[in-house]
Amino acid sequence: MFENLQKYHVVLASNSPRRKELLANLGIKFDVRTLHGIDESYPPELVGEEVALHIVGKKAAAYQATMAPDELVVTADTIVCVDERVLGKPADADDARAMLRMLSGRQHHVVTAVGITTADRTRTFAVTTEVTFAQLSDEVIDHYIEVYRPYDKAGAYGIQEWIGHVGVKSINGSFFNVMGLPVQRLFQELQKIN
């Protein structure tokens, strides 16, 4: 299916088990390599999709500086936006609780930006999915945080986990994007690589 990728050694620049699973489901052979210490800050005037694209651009640049000529590196960054506020990964249980209370009974947007980097160029894109949560009681929020410890997830939740089953009222857009990798769009973009 991906004859155009045969000349590349594909690398996923993420330790996320969800991203590993989603990329593997496309039928692509890849290795995982992560760089630590990449600055994920962004200028305060950026909003929504701009934030995710800025961060994924920084990640792609960090990998491009060290990659082999035959490598193709996939980078990604997911953010949650509610009322123009960007929610990243929670620092602790109190931060996670505050995020989930903010999302409770409301609509928010999940944006995943993806970078496809080769030795000579980077192509980036972003996909946005609209998610609406039902009203979440403190008991539900506390149970989720205690059992699932969502400290590695933007917005303090994983849609594929228990909270997604009991809390997500509706979704408009890619479910897999909310998991952290918009695989349908990634499939299209990878087919364009030459």
Side-chain angles (χ1 to χ4, degrees), residues 1-6 26-28 186-188 190-191:
M1 172 52 71
F2 286 105
E3 290 82 14
N4 62 318
L5 297 183
Q6 295 302 316
L26 285 181
I28 296 171
L186 179 58
F187 175 78
Q188 290 180 326
L190 286 172
Q191 288 185 312

Side-chain angles (χ1 to χ4, degrees), residues 100-157:
L100 290 169
R101 284 181 179 148
M102 188 182 305
L103 299 176
S104 177
R106 304 185 62 201
Q107 181 184 96
H108 62 277
H109 295 94
V110 178
V111 181
T112 300
V114 177
I116 302 170
T117 302
T118 58
D120 60 344
R121 70 176 179 203
T122 297
R123 176 183 301 188
T124 61
F125 62 90
V127 173
T128 300
T129 302
E130 186 181 274
V131 180
T132 303
F133 264 67
Q135 199 67 40
L136 303 174
S137 69
D138 285 346
E139 181 183 18
V140 165
I141 291 171
D142 289 344
H143 172 77
Y144 177 64
I145 292 169
E146 183 179 323
V147 174
Y148 291 88
R149 306 182 60 75
Y151 307 122
D152 64 337
K153 295 170 179 65
Y157 80 93

Side-chain angles (χ1 to χ4, degrees), residues 2-194:
F2 286 105
E3 290 82 14
N4 62 318
L5 297 183
Q6 295 302 316
K7 64 182 178 182
Y8 292 108
H9 172 194
V10 178
V11 175
L12 174 63
S14 176
N15 273 325
S16 163
R18 294 157 299 282
R19 288 190 180 126
K20 291 176 194 174
E21 175 188 354
L22 292 171
L23 186 58
N25 286 343
L26 285 181
I28 296 171
K29 291 183 180 180
F30 63 93
D31 290 320
V32 173
R33 186 170 76 236
T34 58
L35 297 177
H36 298 287
I38 297 173
D39 176 22
E40 294 189 20
S41 64
Y42 55 89
E45 67 272 10
L46 298 183
V47 295
E49 186 177 289
E50 297 170 332
V51 172
L53 285 167
H54 181 82
I55 294 170
V56 90
K58 288 172 107 173
K59 289 180 178 181
Y63 280 88
Q64 195 168 34
T66 62
M67 63 192 295
D70 68 336
E71 287 183 324
L72 181 148
V73 178
V74 177
T75 52
D77 191 73
T78 301
I79 61 169
V80 172
C81 301
V82 60
D83 295 336
E84 299 297 319
R85 182 171 172 194
V86 174
L87 305 181
K89 297 172 184 171
D92 54 31
D94 288 338
D95 197 22
R97 193 171 292 107
M99 288 182 185
L100 290 169
R101 284 181 179 148
M102 188 182 305
L103 299 176
S104 177
R106 304 185 62 201
Q107 181 184 96
H108 62 277
H109 295 94
V110 178
V111 181
T112 300
V114 177
I116 302 170
T117 302
T118 58
D120 60 344
R121 70 176 179 203
T122 297
R123 176 183 301 188
T124 61
F125 62 90
V127 173
T128 300
T129 302
E130 186 181 274
V131 180
T132 303
F133 264 67
Q135 199 67 40
L136 303 174
S137 69
D138 285 346
E139 181 183 18
V140 165
I141 291 171
D142 289 344
H143 172 77
Y144 177 64
I145 292 169
E146 183 179 323
V147 174
Y148 291 88
R149 306 182 60 75
Y151 307 122
D152 64 337
K153 295 170 179 65
Y157 80 93
I159 195 167
Q160 72 282 359
E161 295 176 340
W162 179 81
I163 197 77
H165 298 286
V166 303
V168 173
K169 191 173 180 180
S170 67
I171 182 170
N172 184 13
S174 169
F175 174 83
F176 300 114
N177 184 55
V178 183
M179 283 181 65
L181 198 63
V183 286
Q184 189 274 332
R185 176 73 184 275
L186 179 58
F187 175 78
Q188 290 180 326
E189 295 296 332
L190 286 172
Q191 288 185 312
K192 297 175 188 176
I193 298 295
N194 52 30

